[in-house]
Amino acid sequence: MSLPVIALVGRPNVGKSTLFNYLTRTRDALVADYAGLTRDRKYGRVKRGERAYLLVDTGGITDDVDGIDSVAKRQVELALDEADVVLFLVDARQGLNSADQAISAMLRRLDKPVILVTNKVDGINIDLAVADFHSLGMGNPVSIAATHGRGVNELLSRVSADLPDEDEVLDADDEERYAGVSIAVVGRPNVGKSTLVNRLLGEERVVVFDEAGTTRDSVYIPFERNGKRYTLIDTAGMRRRAKVTLLVEKFSIIKALQSVEKANVVIYLIDASEGITDQDAHLLGMVIEAGRALIIGFNKWDGLDNDQRELIKRQTDVKLPFLDYAEKHSISALHGSGVGKLFDVVHKLYEAAMVDMSTSVLTQILKDAVAGHQPPMVNGRRIKLKHAHQGGRNPPVIVVHGNQTDLLPAAYERYLMNYYRNKLGLDGTPVRIVFKSPKNPYKEVKNKLSDRQLYKKKRLLEHHRKKKKDLKQKKNSRDNLRRG
């Protein structure tokens, strides 16, 4: 099952981009008090609780059938076609208008779950504000204030109820599609992804042409090598939205991100002749969020001189310091130099990502890490980390139990991640650590006093009152003596 897609639609300036930023915990979408600011689609990965999905921010739909608004509307239609759940946002402050009615009529023709979301309800009477929207016939709306996050938890609960079942079994096509070790080849357009796929397969299986955007969709290629099954995934190139003009190409990023989610190992290809761009750093950040084992391939390496190669190494240190764990290889997909070693690296990374770790080993490593560098003091108490066990694979997840773990600094968490990776030899794959603290069952329980305790409490209060009364009488006596 692919990562589900949630689309945000509505007329301009109803708060779609604000909700997008809140859910993705980013500021990727531009937000301003100006109608029609978003023209293109914006994609983000959302993980709240145990569910993860892709969120698509779309441009506002207007009645204008010409010009740029018509292009934006066509992109909205593409987003709706791919979405599993649609969030229809309306402005509770401005009330119902003809554009909302036109959009609702379009959405009712979809055979997909649509959730009506009334935004900007902070500081107003909600019942009065949303009354008119019931006439749209889209069920009870969810009232939120996207700026402050009010009502978002209820909205996420509604979304989770409409998402495909987590336990849904893969059909026969999906089982074949993801057979064996899944290897996704991703990167910006025209960096040589399809050429590398053909080189790894040893035949011309995908179209290669000297033009950016030749691959429009993710291509899945199951094959066998030395008796082992693999699935190569050639993805469409992902680049800055300002450089994207074709509607089909604009939507291909959804397919690429879904392919990354399903892969065991990701080969991110960089055109070494162009250097490492900011877009490369951004896309690699999305791969890290997915938690997949990573190989960074510097393609077209054979065409560089020594100065250019040194520049690439310096750029790697400056722009990609967060990828110190990733495997880095210099290759030439066209001529084949360095490509033969990739399968050995893929196997090593796959084994690291799918490793089974015993509780005793993880706990001993935790004790060694704490002995070498203790957690800090918080409110006069030392944070205690007691034991650890495995919580998942692809990527490896380590669950650490202790006291006050919610107060543990991010720097110490990174220290533990690097310590575990070095001790376990988990090269090329990220390690995720989940901290858990025991709940105090008596935290909210009020202590019920026994009869003896109640009697002692009463005696203590009487003694306190009597002592206070005696002190007052002595003070009055001293004052009278002074006046006399």
Side-chain angles (χ1 to χ4, degrees), residues 164-217:
D165 189 0
E166 277 186 290
D167 299 325
E168 182 179 332
V169 179
L170 294 174
D171 57 29
D173 292 337
D174 286 331
E175 289 179 357
E176 179 63 24
R177 170 173 285 188
Y178 301 112
V181 181
S182 297
I183 309 167
V185 182
V186 300
R188 295 185 296 112
N190 210 31
V191 295
K193 298 185 297 298
S194 298
T195 304
L196 177 61
V197 168
N198 287 337
R199 177 64 63 178
L200 290 171
L201 293 171
E203 59 178 311
E204 296 291 330
R205 287 287 296 271
V206 290
V207 176
V208 178
F209 189 69
D210 189 18
E211 178 181 324
T214 304
T215 303
R216 298 299 191 199
D217 200 351

Side-chain angles (χ1 to χ4, degrees), residues 218-264:
S218 296
V219 181
Y220 297 79
I221 310 171
F223 69 102
E224 287 192 11
R225 183 177 185 271
N226 297 331
K228 296 180 180 180
R229 302 184 71 186
Y230 300 87
T231 299
L232 268 177
I233 310 172
D234 182 20
T235 64
M238 298 182 286
R239 53 177 168 170
R240 288 186 296 121
R241 292 183 299 154
K243 297 293 185 181
V244 178
T245 55
L246 296 177
L247 292 178
V248 176
E249 183 186 347
K250 288 177 180 179
F251 204 62
S252 62
I253 189 171
I254 284 285
K255 301 294 187 183
L257 292 176
Q258 288 177 331
S259 300
V260 169
E261 291 284 342
K262 299 302 298 184
N264 300 120

Side-chain angles (χ1 to χ4, degrees), residues 282-315:
H282 175 70
L283 296 175
L284 282 165
M286 301 181 76
V287 174
I288 292 176
E289 287 184 9
R292 298 298 173 254
L294 178 61
I295 301 172
I296 301 177
F298 296 101
N299 193 23
K300 309 177 185 179
W301 190 260
D302 53 344
L304 305 183
D305 55 33
N306 291 333
D307 291 339
Q308 289 175 312
R309 293 179 179 182
E310 287 298 322
L311 177 62
I312 289 292
K313 293 176 181 178
R314 289 197 299 270
Q315 286 182 335

Side-chain angles (χ1 to χ4, degrees), residues 212-483:
T214 304
T215 303
R216 298 299 191 199
D217 200 351
S218 296
V219 181
Y220 297 79
I221 310 171
F223 69 102
E224 287 192 11
R225 183 177 185 271
N226 297 331
K228 296 180 180 180
R229 302 184 71 186
Y230 300 87
T231 299
L232 268 177
I233 310 172
D234 182 20
T235 64
M238 298 182 286
R239 53 177 168 170
R240 288 186 296 121
R241 292 183 299 154
K243 297 293 185 181
V244 178
T245 55
L246 296 177
L247 292 178
V248 176
E249 183 186 347
K250 288 177 180 179
F251 204 62
S252 62
I253 189 171
I254 284 285
K255 301 294 187 183
L257 292 176
Q258 288 177 331
S259 300
V260 169
E261 291 284 342
K262 299 302 298 184
N264 300 120
V265 179
V266 173
I267 300 177
Y268 188 90
L269 214 57
I270 294 176
D271 188 339
S273 63
E274 296 181 0
I276 301 173
T277 66
D278 293 337
Q279 182 70 356
D280 286 320
H282 175 70
L283 296 175
L284 282 165
M286 301 181 76
V287 174
I288 292 176
E289 287 184 9
R292 298 298 173 254
L294 178 61
I295 301 172
I296 301 177
F298 296 101
N299 193 23
K300 309 177 185 179
W301 190 260
D302 53 344
L304 305 183
D305 55 33
N306 291 333
D307 291 339
Q308 289 175 312
R309 293 179 179 182
E310 287 298 322
L311 177 62
I312 289 292
K313 293 176 181 178
R314 289 197 299 270
Q315 286 182 335
T316 303
D317 295 335
V318 173
K319 293 189 175 183
L320 307 178
F322 53 92
L323 289 175
D324 55 339
Y325 69 88
E327 292 283 336
K328 302 174 181 66
H329 284 268
S330 305
I331 64 172
S332 173
L334 182 62
H335 301 110
S337 58
V339 176
K341 300 177 182 179
L342 287 180
F343 278 107
D344 294 334
V345 180
V346 165
H347 274 291
K348 184 178 72 171
L349 269 59
Y350 177 75
E351 291 174 359
M354 305 298 288
V355 65
D356 286 321
M357 301 172 285
S358 68
T359 300
S360 59
V361 171
L362 293 179
T363 301
Q364 185 58 51
I365 294 176
L366 177 64
K367 291 180 179 178
D368 295 340
V370 170
H373 179 36
Q374 286 195 359
M377 300 275 288
V378 177
N379 297 328
R381 297 175 56 198
R382 178 77 64 184
I383 297 177
K384 295 181 179 179
L385 305 179
K386 299 179 179 179
H387 64 276
H389 62 85
Q390 186 170 2
R393 300 186 297 176
N394 195 32
V397 179
I398 300 172
V399 182
V400 176
H401 295 262
N403 294 335
Q404 305 184 96
T405 56
D406 54 328
L407 302 176
L408 203 64
Y412 197 84
E413 180 179 352
R414 289 193 296 270
Y415 162 72
L416 286 180
M417 289 170 55
N418 293 329
Y419 198 91
Y420 269 112
R421 184 183 295 114
N422 293 333
K423 288 295 182 181
L424 296 171
L426 302 179
D427 297 328
T429 181
V431 177
R432 290 181 177 172
I433 298 184
V434 178
F435 296 97
K436 290 190 176 182
S437 297
K439 293 182 179 180
N440 184 358
Y442 302 103
K443 183 177 180 181
E444 304 297 334
V445 178
K446 188 176 180 180
N447 186 24
K448 186 177 180 180
L449 300 179
S450 64
D451 292 340
R452 181 176 178 83
Q453 288 173 324
L454 289 171
Y455 175 73
K456 292 179 69 175
K457 181 179 179 180
K458 183 179 178 181
R459 288 280 306 272
L460 183 62
L461 289 174
E462 289 177 351
H463 174 73
H464 179 69
R465 283 194 292 266
K466 184 179 178 181
K467 187 175 181 180
K468 188 176 181 181
K469 183 178 179 181
D470 291 342
L471 290 173
K472 187 176 181 180
Q473 288 176 350
K474 288 180 180 179
K475 183 177 181 297
N476 291 336
S477 298
R478 285 195 300 268
D479 292 342
N480 291 334
L481 286 173
R482 292 193 188 97
R483 287 194 295 265

